[in-house]
Amino acid sequence: MSGTGDSERTNDEDWQAIVDNFGERAKIDEPDPVEPAPARSWSEEEPDPAPDPGPAAAYDEPRFVPPTPPPLPRPEPRRAIAWAGVFGAPVLVLVALRIDLPSLLDYLLVAWFVGGFLYLVATMSRSGREPWDDGSRI
């Protein structure tokens, strides 16, 4: 059984053979160094160069302005109170953990949460959707 030293030596020899037989390297012609233009100072007599209107001309075209979106729909008051109970009551309980709330207020917050959840479940649409309807609206 050969040790790991033999396989490492074989790998090293294989790599060295690949490197030795790689072939001639390509010779690349280096470009001539470009001499910088002489520094020029602008004097008062010379006018400023005119700006290039190149890409700025594209911005003169009229742009598309989308119409203002319709206002967000407002839920009916009962439904809004139910949603506020489902999301607001737990937040109020978490915020008020450090404050010793009266027991009656604790029970009211729990009742608001449970009542809002039950109201939302009870008023859900009972009709099934079409099988091809994925719920998106255009």
Side-chain angles (χ1 to χ4, degrees):
M1 181 172 212
S2 64
T4 58
D6 293 337
S7 66
E8 286 180 13
R9 189 177 66 233
T10 304
N11 285 339
D12 291 339
E13 291 171 357
D14 291 340
W15 279 111
Q16 189 61 41
I18 291 172
V19 170
D20 291 341
N21 297 320
F22 185 68
E24 293 183 22
R25 300 221 176 225
K27 294 182 181 178
I28 300 173
D29 294 333
E30 293 192 22
D32 294 333
V34 178
E35 292 183 23
R40 185 176 157 186
S41 63
W42 295 94
S43 65
E44 298 278 334
E45 297 101 29
E46 295 181 27
D48 290 335
D52 182 24
Y59 293 114
D60 293 340
E61 298 175 6
R63 295 181 178 199
F64 172 73
V65 178
T68 57
L72 292 174
R74 297 200 179 260
E76 63 181 73
R78 289 182 193 166
R79 197 163 194 78
I81 292 170
W83 278 113
V86 169
F87 288 112
V91 170
L92 288 174
V93 168
L94 290 175
V95 168
L97 280 177
R98 296 180 188 245
I99 302 171
D100 188 22
L101 293 177
S103 297
L104 179 61
L105 188 57
D106 288 337
Y107 290 128
L108 284 175
L109 288 174
V110 170
W112 188 20
F113 173 77
V114 172
F117 179 79
L118 291 176
Y119 177 79
L120 290 172
V121 170
T123 59
M124 283 176 47
S125 175
R126 289 176 177 33
S127 63
R129 294 192 326 202
E130 297 289 330
W132 53 268
D133 185 13
D134 63 355
S136 63
R137 300 285 182 255
I138 297 179

